[in-house]
Amino acid sequence: MSCHWFLAITLVFFVVAIRARLDDDDHEEKPDTIYLVVVRGEPLAATSWRPQDEQLQNASSSFLHKTAKISRAARQHDRILRRTARPGAFYRKLYGFHHAVNGFAVHTTATHAARLRAAREVAAVEEDSGTVLMTTYTPRMLGLPDGVWRRRRDGSGDGRFFENDGEGVVVGVVDTGVDPTHPSFAYVPRRRSRRKRRRRRKTCPVDVCSVGPRFPRGSCNGKIVAARYFAAGALAAALPLDASRDLSPFDVDGHGSHVASIAVGNRGVPVTMGGAMFGFASGMAPVYKAIYPAGGTMADLISAIDQATQDNVDVLVLSIGPDARPTSKVTFVSMLDIALLFAARAGVFVVQAAGNRGPAGSSVVSYSPWVTTVAAGTTGRSYTAHLVLGNGRRISGLGLSAPTPGADCHLQFRLVAAKDIAGVERADECQDATALRRRADVFRGSIVICSFSSGFYNGTSTLTAIVDTAKTLDFAGFVLVAGAQYGDFVAQPLPFSVPGVMVPRVADADAIWSYYAAHTSYAGDDATVFSATAEIAEGRMAAFTAAPAVARYSSRGPDVVDMASTPADVLKPDILAPGDQIWAAWSGANEPILAGERFAIMSGTSMAAPHAAGVAALVRQRHPSWPPSAVASALSTTASTHDARGIPIVSDNVAGAVRRRPATPFDYGAGFINPAGALDPGLVFAPVFDDYIGFLCSLPQLNADDVRATTGTACPSPELDSPADLNLPSITVSALRGSISVRRTVTNVANNTEIYLCAVLPPAGVAVDVRPEWFEIAPGEKQEMVVELEATWPASGEFSFGEIVLTGSLDHLARLPLSVRPVATSTNMNE
């Protein structure tokens, strides 16, 4: 590295969980479930967020008070457990939560859980539903190298030198771990002034580095400053953990290293895979980092969040989350969402992946307005392999492999289907060379069609086995095609040491089979003449198109407030960031096809969230006094709704982007993230903790007692007139009956007085009036705005979209998305 940057982050290891299996002789009713228990009363994070310098000045005086409060809360939790358990009953308290939420996780029986629900001190009990896992090109796509990563002030160097943006910012990533030996996480110290060294010591979180298998002492360095793992939930749920590799912060899966390197990996690390060079990888902020790994129990996840809050991280990345809606009465008051509410109150900016259940509506799995939910967009760079049939048709697929020999001359090879000549069960999946050896003469030098069928569907068949079979029998190449019985499958560009291509769409597979059938002769059930031919084209060359577009799999809005799918007055997702085909670090040992590789290309909102986190780290470093809501506002109001050509962003609705439609805020939130704009937004909409409580109190599904029980906080007075009055950088009205007035308050965070003019693009069927139409606002000053919304067409019951644009006289511009659903005023109308 020619220049080194500094960002302190905390790492926590988090592992996946499954259902428990305990010996029946422990008790006649065995503890088979993990329950999350919220206790009445505020957690330690209830102390309002203050700028870091003030926190440091008061740190020593508050330490003893916090320690005493934790001890009292722990004793209370233990008393509740003992009092509610039957005599002689077995249970295990897994965690006590004190910082982001007041509660605990316990492995116990359904009977004990029912008694806990009835306890007067208990606000809620949830069954642990588990959690799931949800770059060379993207930094330049976002304009970071030349626009945000600033040049050295002394002008030295050859253009490769940048300032150390991100210094002093703490980023935590909750994921599957980290590989401390990966070059993306290498620490190369640089000389810093004495003043900067003092700041480093003051802002670093608690330096805790859990050691264990493949994570020895010394793994934590100036890049990984702390590393933890949380496995109590996984162990209680009887996950078959491998103690020789799992019980440490080391990343066996690969997902955590990938996510972490996107957010804060070293800049300029060469990316190689399968012996080919694919460019240079960089994190979204030129920073040092550590990571919080995550997995499959909500107990472990919340414990990681609780620890991150205690460690005073500035930005927290959640590229994992629930796989379904919470069972709580309201989505916003699940234990996870309450923990994130108090994390935000403690000053933590939380970024959460939207989920990968798109393009279905209301598929987001991140709900709350105090969390920034990130959708996945394309980067404009894609790796597409092709199978070229003898009739000239090119079938698109995926595979980072060399072409079949003679591709430059369009040399064709015999095309053979494994299912036609093997004569043994499941030979069509090309998993066993022995089963295919009977007709080795046919396979030799041929391109072989292998089928995605039951073995791939249930995980017992692998691409590695296909490659091994191809080598053993000397295939010219292979093609793995989707099967109609199992539908389209999801695939990433993977390296193949023999020419190969995956065709994940059934429609494309049908075209291959149709051509093949027309050129193959049969004697009974046996194929005897193979006249079909094909070639495999180069699959390692990137193609570039206009971007971004919303990826098909990215989860969509509208946000929902309950299990009945009632739309919420909150826009989700919040923002769009690069998430499709992202190169980043890899360490996983569980994917044989990537064995020995240090980089991988992956897609998902898991990849989009750390992009947004890296940008948020830059904003927090530039504006350390801003609360998390101001950072979220800056990202939102400056986002772009147009692609690189200036054309409105579109949404992929079909695999392979065969059909696209204009995207809406339910696809991309406020738009595509704009780092340069976020650093200087001019205006921010910044709700505080009491505003969030007021929002909860305004929900018709909750009453004041519900809110007090789950948050430990009384409803403010006066209350919000409507949930839509929460001071967000967007306006969502899920049920407009006639007309409504919505209020917003902006704060000038720029250095100069500025005049703003308000313009409106109204949603279809809705009249919008903004007062005042213009205003002058000084630095630090606030301005209230009133937005009148009135339905002008007969109620459709469908959302329509628009925006309010605030244009400043000093070139600042703030956009507020409008999402409005007019509904009939009749109570008989089914909404």
Side-chain angles (χ1 to χ4, degrees), residues 399-413:
L400 299 173
S401 80
T404 46
D408 291 343
C409 303
H410 304 293
L411 180 64
Q412 295 267 308
F413 295 82

Side-chain angles (χ1 to χ4, degrees), residues 704-768:
D705 289 339
D706 294 329
V707 176
R708 181 67 179 262
T710 53
T711 67
T713 307
C715 290
S717 181
E719 296 182 1
L720 296 181
D721 292 335
S722 160
D725 278 330
L726 181 61
N727 196 36
L728 297 173
S730 60
I731 294 176
T732 303
V733 179
S734 60
L736 175 62
R737 295 179 174 87
S739 63
I740 189 175
S741 293
V742 177
R743 298 182 181 275
R744 289 294 183 270
T745 300
V746 295
T747 303
N748 184 0
V749 293
N751 297 323
N752 299 291
T753 298
E754 194 163 2
I755 297 173
Y756 282 87
L757 179 66
C758 305
V760 176
L761 176 64
V766 179
V768 181

Side-chain angles (χ1 to χ4, degrees), residues 114-139:
R115 294 184 178 208
L116 284 166
R117 286 189 180 93
R120 63 182 182 277
E121 304 97 330
V122 172
V125 177
E126 299 176 20
E127 184 173 339
D128 193 313
S129 58
T131 58
V132 294
L133 294 172
M134 297 267 172
T135 79
T136 63
Y137 178 58
T138 45

